[in-house]
Amino acid sequence: MPKNNSGGNKSGGSRSGGNKSNGGRSGGNRSNGNRSGGNRSNGNRSGGMMSTQSILSKIGVGTPNIRIHTEDATFTGVYLGISNGSAIINEGGAPRYIKLSAITAVDVGV
């Protein structure tokens, strides 16, 4: 006669993975798709949620017609990249180093 191998009462119980929420993610407001960045909004440019470095890192080196705005000046030229906390553009044959913290807006394709 076979033995009765009863494991007793087993309960799986309730398992909960907790509450997961994807929440709402926003990339910020963009006025026309090619203007962005900075911390100033004047109707034509949007402050958005992205940092200036994040915006500039999406622009390819050698991209022409980049306009970088600061509180005091505007620089237009060919984008050369980021180095040591500064954006670099070739403006009329001379490289311009613009501190990322000073940039208020970036226009692409102007």
Side-chain angles (χ1 to χ4, degrees):
M1 174 166 225
K3 279 184 163 181
N4 184 357
N5 290 329
S6 175
N9 293 332
K10 288 178 89 177
S11 173
S14 295
R15 286 183 59 184
S16 173
N19 294 329
K20 291 176 82 174
S21 173
N22 289 335
R25 285 182 51 173
S26 172
N29 298 324
R30 299 181 78 181
S31 61
N32 71 358
N34 66 352
R35 291 187 177 152
S36 58
N39 52 15
R40 162 177 95 177
S41 179
N42 67 4
N44 293 330
R45 293 178 209 102
S46 173
M49 301 276 294
M50 301 180 86
S51 73
T52 302
Q53 185 170 356
S54 174
I55 302 275
L56 291 171
S57 68
K58 293 176 182 358
I59 300 171
V61 171
T63 302
N65 303 321
I66 301 297
R67 183 176 295 150
I68 297 178
H69 301 270
T70 66
E71 288 291 327
D72 303 323
T74 299
F75 306 96
T76 304
V78 178
Y79 181 66
L80 299 178
I82 297 174
S83 178
N84 294 327
S86 295
I88 308 166
I89 64 169
N90 180 346
E91 184 179 44
R96 300 282 183 184
Y97 293 81
I98 306 150
K99 288 208 169 279
L100 294 174
S101 60
I103 296 173
T104 57
V106 175
D107 297 328
V108 180
V110 293

